[in-house]
Amino acid sequence: MKVLRTALFRVRAACSFTGQSVSLQGQRKLFWSCGALSVGVAGVSIICYHSNSHRVFAYSDSKLDTSKWMAEPITNKKLLEERSTEMKYKMEAMIMRIQSEVCRKLEEVDGDQKFLVDRWTRTEGGGGITCVMKDGLVFEKAGVNISVVHGNLPPPAVAQMRARGKSLEGKTLPFFATGVSCVIHPRNPYVPAIHFNYRYFEVMDENGTVHWWFGGGTDLTPIYLNEKDAVHFHKTLKEACDKHDQKYYPKFKKWCDDYFYLPHRGETRGIGGIFFDDLDAEPQSAMFEFVQSCADAVLPSYIPIVQKHKNDGYSHPERKWQLLRRGRYVEFNLIYDRGTKFGLQTPGARYESILMSLPNTANWEYRNEPAPGSAEEEIVKVLKNPREWVREK
Amino acid sequence: MKVLRTALFRVRAACSFTGQSVSLQGQRKLFWSCGALSVGVAGVSIICYHSNSHRVFAYSDSKLDTSKWMAEPITNKKLLEERSTEMKYKMEAMIMRIQSEVCRKLEEVDGDQKFLVDRWTRTEGGGGITCVMKDGLVFEKAGVNISVVHGNLPPPAVAQMRARGKSLEGKTLPFFATGVSCVIHPRNPYVPAIHFNYRYFEVMDENGTVHWWFGGGTDLTPIYLNEKDAVHFHKTLKEACDKHDQKYYPKFKKWCDDYFYLPHRGETRGIGGIFFDDLDAEPQSAMFEFVQSCADAVLPSYIPIVQKHKNDGYSHPERKWQLLRRGRYVEFNLIYDRGTKFGLQTPGARYESILMSLPNTANWEYRNEPAPGSAEEEIVKVLKNPREWVREK
């Protein structure tokens, strides 16, 4: 804790969350690689920092296989290896791996397009790696972001956290966070869209107490209902949860239905999945293991569905319905999503990464009402009354 | 004032803004035609009511030419004529005329499609007339709404008004409002989109004092800059303003630039126009005349531009840029527009009318950056630094 405290106060001296440019003059002895990417998709902006002084703590001999990562990590590789037992580095290594595995798999399944890899930093401090594929054979748009960001939480953000039940003393508090975030909009209307986001957050109050928590989730947005696919998806997530706590899946499934909800339409965005925030139970390593299991469950939950339907036949009415459903997706992300709102309110936020979650094309139509008994009506019924897809044993 | 007070308290007894269904049992002696349509476009939701008891005040002999109106008004025609000196009826008759003139003109210019006319009421009380044209030769989507709505303002809405400077005593206050709202998304990228909204609002505090005000504006969203068109548009609005007060145009032009602004992109939505709210100076009739002049200036400010460019040649790059600009339009309306936000938060709100402002198609692209010196860059420069289009004499 003491180590963290020292590092955090150094950061505090040099960086600011308020979007002001950071002067590094007189800070030459520190190696900085810091940034701020608001992951405007699932829940909150994710922010992380590190400070590599000459003192090295928590040495580790672990060797990271970085050969397949999409780009150089935001934190120096050597540091990630040496301090791999510290949660922030452990998490960064994990999300780098997840980003790489998801991107490689999507490229393989698509067979046509590759990801554009955009590694960026900002003058305010912070960085991320934004990977985008567009106009693929299978994936019309896919984005997989990681970010490693840090700074000072401004008073309104601290107040918001307090309102969520965090007992934080102080007004402007140093924090860091890291996470991976992904949205995939496939071309074929019979292949559902998917979104996932896993993140780790630390904030230190003025007493020097470090508060940490994990958040995240994975959820599916089919254009048409396929019950077998829905069961497969939820079952895969449930298995990942059950390995850690049998209470997780039912709790986080409900949380997901509640969160991805458009009150003005009385509909959920999709058929849900899991969603959680503020996971802070000790031991921390158990929480990490759980989050890692969830992140590792993404590809097995989704790719079989993509493979099954990527060549399904469809024509104009299905495409039209898909574009209207994407309009709802845009509505949710721009009106209700906490991450997007929080992200866009952050001065100096990288809006390109936040808004990457939006589909390339979305439609709206006045009073589009699915015909009774149609496949369009079938999915809307499920969105209006979320179902249980996996029975408790 | 006393008349209004009596009527308002009757309304208070029977209707609620909270979206609850209204029981009319025991109210048979009153003729009701009430509703709630949130005009989710320019500024605020507009709401109005009337109560026609057997007592008739403020008789008038004026004959309304209702023959071209798009539908039966929300308020009984006879009442509109008999009480035409009362502002709420005067305003309703004016917006019915404006709706009709705009719709007829757009149909004439389009030459292909007609407006679908959707007259609606809701169980919570209230009504409106939503006119929508889609897939026209000239207009890809055009919506012209009127609404005449009333109810009780819930405490958060009252608090919000108080924060805007209204000295309102009481917690839940009866109110009514009426307005016209319009968004036009043309097909040709060289024809700008336009939006306008003119509205009248009354709220009575618990001391029986009636507070009233007008709001509204007209603004233009070109995809490509045409300086002559911009000057023509602003000049027409300025002339409408100058007839009433020379200070109006500069003040409301700036207000428009400030309001239609996307902070995350550092861009205005379009090249502005005029925007105002809380216009409550006596005499009330002078305020009405000003608002009417603005509403009457819409067609002369816009139609010449449409006629000039509706047959301009264009191809894929211009269309692509148009769809990306529409993405920004969606961002503004869903993230920042007060009317949309307020409207969608209203229980029982008619979201179809609120979201009618959205284009039928919008696109997003990761890091689309106009080429230096391009026509796309030219308009973005203006959006980042709003210009004065009409010099003061």
Side-chain angles (χ1 to χ4, degrees):
Chain A
M1 190 72 87
K2 196 160 168 285
V3 174
L4 184 62
R5 190 173 186 175
T6 312
L8 274 164
F9 278 107
R10 286 190 175 196
V11 170
R12 197 174 197 174
C15 290
S16 159
F17 185 59
T18 59
Q20 304 303 313
S21 289
V22 175
S23 164
L24 293 185
Q25 284 190 312
Q27 300 286 338
R28 295 279 171 206
K29 282 182 187 165
L30 294 179
F31 168 82
W32 291 95
S33 169
C34 55
L37 160 62
S38 296
V39 176
V41 182
V44 298
S45 292
I46 53 172
I47 302 175
C48 176
Y49 95 108
H50 78 90
S51 155
N52 179 7
S53 76
H54 291 291
R55 288 169 296 168
V56 174
F57 306 90
Y59 238 114
S60 155
D61 284 331
S62 72
K63 270 283 170 197
L64 288 169
D65 177 10
T66 65
S67 62
K68 291 185 178 167
W69 289 2
M70 301 304 284
E72 282 293 303
I74 301 304
T75 302
N76 175 283
K77 256 188 225 169
K78 196 157 171 278
L79 188 73
L80 284 185
E81 285 183 351
E82 285 173 354
R83 297 172 70 174
S84 65
T85 55
E86 274 180 62
M87 189 52 74
K88 56 182 177 283
Y89 303 117
K90 197 169 168 178
M91 188 73 182
E92 185 178 346
M94 193 269 273
I95 62 169
M96 288 299 296
R97 175 179 65 79
I98 293 291
Q99 180 184 48
S100 149
E101 288 174 5
V102 170
C103 289
R104 308 287 177 199
K105 192 68 190 174
L106 294 179
E107 286 180 348
E108 182 198 316
V109 172
D110 192 79
D112 182 28
Q113 292 295 315
K114 298 283 176 194
F115 276 91
L116 166 87
V117 178
D118 207 355
R119 187 182 186 278
W120 51 270
T121 52
R122 57 171 201 154
T123 47
E124 293 89 348
I129 302 162
T130 297
C131 297
V132 187
M133 180 195 286
K134 67 170 186 170
D135 297 331
L137 273 180
V138 177
F139 303 109
E140 209 167 319
K141 185 171 175 183
V144 192
N145 282 331
I146 69 98
S147 68
V148 179
V149 194
H150 75 116
N152 284 319
L153 276 181
V158 176
Q160 210 177 14
M161 287 183 177
R162 222 173 268 126
R164 267 166 59 204
K166 308 267 172 217
S167 58
L168 297 172
E169 298 288 326
K171 283 184 180 169
T172 303
L173 305 177
F175 73 109
F176 61 83
T178 185
V180 59
S181 168
C182 167
V183 177
I184 302 170
H185 295 286
R187 189 175 295 285
N188 193 307
Y190 290 104
V191 182
I194 194 173
H195 156 254
F196 73 87
N197 165 234
Y198 291 97
R199 56 195 183 269
Y200 171 70
F201 205 93
E202 284 185 3
V203 59
M204 183 167 65
D205 69 17
E206 62 182 16
N207 303 327
T209 308
V210 174
H211 304 256
W212 59 262
W213 64 93
F214 292 92
T218 305
D219 66 282
L220 200 72
T221 305
I223 310 304
Y224 290 101
L225 184 66
N226 181 305
E227 300 198 359
K228 278 189 187 164
D229 294 347
V231 170
H232 163 79
F233 177 77
H234 275 270
K235 209 173 153 195
T236 311
L237 300 186
K238 183 174 185 295
E239 282 164 7
C241 293
D242 285 355
K243 280 192 278 179
H244 301 271
D245 191 326
Q246 301 264 336
K247 289 183 204 129
Y248 281 170
Y249 174 79
K251 186 176 171 190
F252 300 154
K253 192 268 183 195
K254 186 179 181 307
W255 200 338
C256 191
D257 289 336
D258 292 346
Y259 181 78
F260 292 102
Y261 180 69
L262 291 87
H264 65 278
R265 295 196 181 264
E267 285 177 6
T268 54
R269 186 174 76 175
I271 60 156
I274 53 171
F275 181 85
F276 56 86
D277 206 352
D278 300 325
L279 270 200
D280 57 3
E282 295 283 2
Q284 194 186 40
S285 60
M287 295 297 104
F288 173 81
E289 295 299 327
F290 164 63
V291 168
Q292 184 165 248
S293 289
C294 293
D296 280 327
V298 169
L299 289 175
S301 77
Y302 185 55
I303 295 299
I305 300 175
V306 178
Q307 297 284 23
K308 194 172 147 193
H309 297 291
K310 68 179 185 178
N311 295 318
D312 282 5
Y314 70 92
S315 61
H316 183 65
E318 289 99 320
R319 174 66 173 170
K320 190 180 151 193
W321 179 242
Q322 181 190 43
L323 296 181
L324 289 173
R325 296 311 312 172
R326 287 197 189 153
R328 312 292 184 269
Y329 207 94
V330 171
E331 286 175 27
F332 179 83
N333 287 21
L334 296 185
I335 305 175
Y336 301 110
D337 186 63
R338 281 195 293 153
T340 307
K341 284 206 275 194
F342 183 74
L344 294 178
Q345 281 163 13
T346 306
R350 191 170 191 267
Y351 64 82
E352 290 284 8
S353 298
I354 298 169
L355 297 177
M356 213 199 52
S357 65
L358 301 178
N360 54 347
T361 303
N363 284 9
W364 284 268
E365 189 179 288
Y366 181 70
R367 288 188 65 176
N368 177 286
E369 284 153 19
S374 65
E376 289 78 16
E377 193 198 38
E378 187 186 22
I379 184 77
V380 171
K381 277 185 181 170
V382 173
L383 303 178
K384 288 189 184 294
N385 294 292
R387 284 195 208 159
E388 290 305 321
W389 296 104
V390 192
R391 299 252 165 245
E392 294 298 316
K393 280 167 197 161
Chain B
M1 192 71 88
K2 194 159 169 286
V3 174
L4 183 60
R5 188 174 186 174
T6 313
L8 275 165
F9 278 108
R10 286 189 176 198
V11 170
R12 197 175 197 175
C15 290
S16 159
F17 185 58
T18 58
Q20 303 304 313
S21 290
V22 174
S23 164
L24 294 184
Q25 283 190 316
Q27 300 285 338
R28 294 279 171 205
K29 282 180 186 168
L30 296 179
F31 168 80
W32 291 95
S33 169
C34 54
L37 160 61
S38 296
V39 176
V41 181
V44 299
S45 290
I46 53 172
I47 303 176
C48 177
Y49 97 108
H50 78 89
S51 153
N52 179 7
S53 76
H54 291 290
R55 289 169 298 167
V56 172
F57 307 89
Y59 238 114
S60 155
D61 284 333
S62 74
K63 269 284 170 197
L64 289 169
D65 177 11
T66 64
S67 63
K68 291 185 178 166
W69 289 2
M70 301 305 284
E72 283 293 305
I74 301 305
T75 301
N76 174 285
K77 256 187 226 170
K78 195 157 172 280
L79 188 73
L80 285 185
E81 285 183 349
E82 285 173 355
R83 297 173 69 174
S84 65
T85 55
E86 273 181 63
M87 189 51 73
K88 55 182 177 282
Y89 303 119
K90 198 171 168 176
M91 187 74 181
E92 184 176 347
M94 193 269 272
I95 62 169
M96 288 298 296
R97 175 178 66 76
I98 293 292
Q99 181 184 47
S100 149
E101 288 174 5
V102 170
C103 288
R104 307 289 177 199
K105 192 68 190 174
L106 294 180
E107 285 179 350
E108 183 198 315
V109 172
D110 193 79
D112 182 28
Q113 291 296 315
K114 299 283 176 194
F115 275 91
L116 166 87
V117 179
D118 207 355
R119 186 182 187 279
W120 52 270
T121 52
R122 58 171 200 155
T123 47
E124 293 89 346
I129 302 162
T130 297
C131 298
V132 187
M133 181 196 283
K134 66 170 187 169
D135 296 331
L137 273 179
V138 176
F139 303 109
E140 209 167 320
K141 185 171 177 183
V144 192
N145 282 331
I146 69 98
S147 68
V148 180
V149 194
H150 75 113
N152 284 319
L153 277 181
V158 176
Q160 209 176 15
M161 286 182 177
R162 220 174 271 126
R164 267 166 57 203
K166 308 269 171 213
S167 57
L168 297 172
E169 297 287 327
K171 282 185 181 170
T172 302
L173 305 176
F175 74 109
F176 61 84
T178 184
V180 59
S181 168
C182 167
V183 177
I184 302 170
H185 294 287
R187 188 175 295 285
N188 192 308
Y190 289 104
V191 182
I194 194 173
H195 157 253
F196 72 87
N197 165 234
Y198 290 98
R199 56 195 184 270
Y200 171 70
F201 205 93
E202 284 185 2
V203 59
M204 184 167 64
D205 67 19
E206 64 182 15
N207 303 328
T209 308
V210 174
H211 304 255
W212 58 263
W213 64 92
F214 292 91
T218 304
D219 66 283
L220 199 73
T221 305
I223 310 304
Y224 289 100
L225 184 67
N226 180 306
E227 300 198 0
K228 278 188 186 165
D229 295 347
V231 171
H232 164 79
F233 177 77
H234 274 270
K235 209 173 155 196
T236 311
L237 299 187
K238 183 175 185 297
E239 282 163 7
C241 292
D242 285 355
K243 280 193 280 180
H244 301 272
D245 191 326
Q246 301 263 337
K247 288 183 205 130
Y248 282 171
Y249 174 77
K251 186 175 170 189
F252 300 155
K253 192 268 183 195
K254 185 179 180 309
W255 200 337
C256 191
D257 288 336
D258 292 345
Y259 181 78
F260 292 101
Y261 180 69
L262 291 87
H264 65 279
R265 294 194 181 266
E267 285 177 7
T268 54
R269 186 174 76 175
I271 60 156
I274 53 171
F275 181 85
F276 55 86
D277 206 353
D278 300 326
L279 270 200
D280 57 2
E282 296 283 2
Q284 193 185 42
S285 60
M287 295 297 104
F288 173 80
E289 295 299 327
F290 164 64
V291 168
Q292 184 165 249
S293 289
C294 293
D296 280 328
V298 169
L299 289 176
S301 76
Y302 185 56
I303 295 300
I305 299 174
V306 178
Q307 297 285 22
K308 195 172 147 194
H309 297 291
K310 68 179 186 178
N311 295 319
D312 283 4
Y314 69 92
S315 61
H316 184 67
E318 290 99 320
R319 173 67 173 169
K320 191 180 151 194
W321 179 243
Q322 181 190 44
L323 297 181
L324 289 173
R325 295 311 312 172
R326 286 196 189 154
R328 312 292 185 267
Y329 207 94
V330 171
E331 286 175 26
F332 179 82
N333 287 21
L334 296 185
I335 304 175
Y336 302 109
D337 186 63
R338 282 194 292 155
T340 307
K341 284 205 273 194
F342 183 74
L344 293 179
Q345 281 163 13
T346 306
R350 191 170 190 269
Y351 65 82
E352 289 285 9
S353 297
I354 299 168
L355 297 178
M356 212 199 54
S357 65
L358 301 179
N360 55 346
T361 303
N363 284 9
W364 283 267
E365 189 179 286
Y366 181 71
R367 289 190 63 178
N368 176 286
E369 284 151 20
S374 65
E376 288 78 16
E377 193 199 37
E378 187 186 22
I379 184 77
V380 171
K381 277 185 179 169
V382 172
L383 303 179
K384 288 189 184 292
N385 294 292
R387 284 195 209 161
E388 290 305 321
W389 296 103
V390 193
R391 299 252 166 244
E392 294 299 315
K393 279 169 198 159

